[in-house]
Coordinates of all heavy atoms in Angstrom, one line a residue:
P1 N 8.6 10.9 8.4 CA 7.5 11.0 9.3 C 7.1 9.7 10.0 O 7.2 8.6 9.3 CB 6.4 11.6 8.4 CG 6.8 11.1 7.1 CD 8.3 11.2 7.1
I2 N 6.6 9.7 11.2 CA 6.3 8.4 11.9 C 4.8 8.2 11.6 O 3.9 9.0 11.9 CB 6.5 8.6 13.3 CG1 7.9 8.8 13.8 CG2 5.9 7.3 14.2 CD1 8.1 9.2 15.2
K3 N 4.6 7.1 10.8 CA 3.3 6.7 10.4 C 3.0 5.2 10.7 O 4.1 4.4 10.7 CB 3.2 6.8 8.8 CG 3.4 8.3 8.3 CD 2.2 9.1 8.7 CE 2.4 10.6 8.2 NZ 1.1 11.5 8.6
P4 N 1.8 4.8 10.8 CA 1.5 3.4 10.9 C 1.9 2.6 9.7 O 2.0 3.2 8.6 CB 0.0 3.4 11.3 CG -0.4 4.7 10.6 CD 0.6 5.6 10.7
P5 N 1.9 1.3 9.8 CA 2.2 0.4 8.6 C 1.1 0.8 7.6 O 0.0 1.1 7.9 CB 2.1 -1.0 9.2 CG 2.3 -0.9 10.7 CD 1.8 0.5 11.0
H6 N 1.5 0.5 6.3 CA 0.4 0.6 5.2 C -0.6 -0.5 5.3 O -0.3 -1.5 5.9 CB 1.2 0.8 3.8 CG 1.4 -0.7 3.2 ND1 2.7 -1.2 3.4 CD2 0.7 -1.5 2.5 CE1 2.7 -2.4 2.7 NE2 1.5 -2.6 2.2
V7 N -1.8 -0.1 4.7 CA -2.8 -1.1 4.8 C -3.3 -1.4 3.4 O -3.5 -0.6 2.6 CB -4.1 -0.4 5.6 CG1 -5.3 -1.4 5.6 CG2 -3.7 -0.2 7.0
T8 N -3.5 -2.7 3.1 CA -4.0 -3.2 1.8 C -5.3 -3.7 2.1 O -5.5 -4.7 3.0 CB -3.1 -4.3 1.3 OG1 -1.8 -3.8 1.1 CG2 -3.6 -4.7 -0.1
G9 N -6.4 -3.2 1.6 CA -7.8 -3.6 1.9 C -8.0 -4.9 1.1 O -7.3 -5.4 0.4
P10 N -9.3 -5.4 1.4 CA -9.8 -6.8 0.8 C -9.7 -6.8 -0.7 O -9.5 -7.9 -1.2 CB -11.1 -6.9 1.4 CG -11.5 -5.6 1.8 CD -10.4 -4.9 2.3
D11 N -9.9 -5.7 -1.4 CA -9.8 -5.6 -2.9 C -8.5 -5.0 -3.4 O -8.4 -4.9 -4.5 CB -11.1 -4.9 -3.4 CG -12.3 -5.5 -2.9 OD1 -12.4 -6.7 -3.1 OD2 -13.2 -4.7 -2.5
G12 N -7.6 -4.6 -2.5 CA -6.3 -4.1 -2.8 C -5.4 -5.2 -3.4 O -5.2 -6.3 -2.8
V13 N -4.7 -4.8 -4.5 CA -3.7 -5.7 -5.1 C -2.4 -4.8 -5.3 O -2.4 -3.8 -6.1 CB -4.1 -6.2 -6.4 CG1 -3.1 -7.1 -7.0 CG2 -5.5 -7.1 -6.2
I14 N -1.3 -5.3 -4.8 CA 0.0 -4.6 -4.9 C 0.9 -5.7 -5.5 O 1.2 -6.7 -5.0 CB 0.5 -4.1 -3.6 CG1 -0.5 -3.1 -3.0 CG2 1.9 -3.4 -3.9 CD1 -0.1 -2.6 -1.6
S15 N 1.6 -5.2 -6.5 CA 2.6 -6.0 -7.1 C 3.9 -5.2 -7.6 O 3.8 -4.2 -8.1 CB 2.1 -6.8 -8.3 OG 1.7 -6.0 -9.4
H16 N 5.1 -5.8 -7.3 CA 6.3 -5.2 -7.7 C 6.3 -3.7 -7.5 O 6.6 -2.9 -8.4 CB 6.5 -5.4 -9.2 CG 8.0 -5.3 -9.6 ND1 8.4 -4.5 -10.7 CD2 9.1 -5.7 -9.1 CE1 9.7 -4.5 -10.8 NE2 10.2 -5.2 -9.8
S17 N 6.1 -3.3 -6.2 CA 6.0 -1.8 -5.9 C 6.6 -1.6 -4.5 O 6.7 -2.5 -3.7 CB 4.6 -1.3 -5.8 OG 4.0 -1.6 -7.2
L18 N 6.9 -0.3 -4.3 CA 7.4 0.1 -3.0 C 6.1 1.0 -2.4 O 5.7 1.9 -3.0 CB 8.6 1.1 -3.1 CG 9.8 0.4 -3.6 CD1 11.0 1.5 -3.7 CD2 10.3 -0.7 -2.6
V19 N 5.7 0.6 -1.2 CA 4.6 1.2 -0.5 C 5.1 1.5 1.0 O 5.4 0.7 1.6 CB 3.4 0.3 -0.5 CG1 2.2 1.1 0.2 CG2 3.0 -0.1 -2.0
T20 N 4.9 2.9 1.2 CA 5.5 3.3 2.5 C 4.4 3.5 3.6 O 3.2 3.5 3.3 CB 6.2 4.7 2.3 OG1 7.1 4.5 1.2 CG2 7.0 5.2 3.5
G21 N 4.8 3.6 4.8 CA 3.8 3.7 5.9 C 2.8 4.7 5.8 O 3.0 5.8 5.2
G22 N 1.6 4.4 6.5 CA 0.5 5.4 6.4 C -0.3 5.4 5.2 O -1.3 6.1 5.1
S23 N 0.0 4.6 4.2 CA -0.7 4.4 3.0 C -1.9 3.4 3.0 O -1.7 2.5 3.7 CB 0.2 4.1 1.8 OG 1.1 5.2 1.6
Q24 N -2.9 3.7 2.3 CA -4.0 2.8 2.3 C -4.3 2.4 0.8 O -4.7 3.3 0.1 CB -5.4 3.5 2.9 CG -5.1 3.8 4.3 CD -6.3 4.5 5.0 OE1 -7.4 3.9 5.0 NE2 -6.1 5.6 5.5
V25 N -4.3 1.2 0.5 CA -4.4 0.7 -0.8 C -5.7 -0.2 -1.0 O -5.6 -1.3 -0.4 CB -3.3 0.0 -1.4 CG1 -3.4 -0.5 -2.9 CG2 -2.0 1.0 -1.4
D26 N -6.8 0.2 -1.6 CA -7.9 -0.6 -1.9 C -8.1 -0.8 -3.4 O -9.1 -1.6 -3.7 CB -9.2 0.2 -1.3 CG -9.2 0.1 0.2 OD1 -9.2 -0.9 0.8 OD2 -9.0 1.3 0.8
G27 N -7.2 -0.2 -4.2 CA -7.2 -0.5 -5.7 C -6.1 -1.3 -6.1 O -5.5 -2.2 -5.3
S28 N -5.6 -1.1 -7.3 CA -4.5 -1.9 -7.9 C -3.3 -1.1 -8.1 O -3.4 0.1 -8.7 CB -5.0 -2.6 -9.3 OG -4.0 -3.2 -9.8
V29 N -2.2 -1.5 -7.6 CA -0.9 -0.8 -7.7 C 0.1 -1.9 -8.2 O 0.3 -2.9 -7.7 CB -0.3 -0.3 -6.2 CG1 1.0 0.4 -6.4 CG2 -1.4 0.7 -5.7
A30 N 0.8 -1.4 -9.4 CA 1.8 -2.3 -10.1 C 3.0 -1.5 -10.5 O 2.9 -0.4 -11.1 CB 1.3 -3.1 -11.2
N31 N 4.2 -2.0 -10.2 CA 5.5 -1.3 -10.7 C 5.4 0.2 -10.5 O 5.8 1.0 -11.3 CB 5.6 -1.5 -12.2 CG 5.5 -2.9 -12.7 OD1 6.3 -3.7 -12.2 ND2 4.5 -3.4 -13.4

């Protein structure tokens, strides 16, 4: 599906993960 780039909010933390378009991350995502 055609989606915009994923967004990481000011409090969002992403480490060692795959995150696909259209996603919004304001929490913590690891592995």
Side-chain angles (χ1 to χ4, degrees):
I2 299 173
K3 298 289 181 181
H6 83 264
V7 175
T8 306
D11 297 317
V13 178
I14 300 173
S15 64
H16 197 227
S17 297
L18 295 177
V19 181
T20 311
S23 292
Q24 301 180 56
V25 177
D26 290 293
S28 174
V29 176
N31 303 299

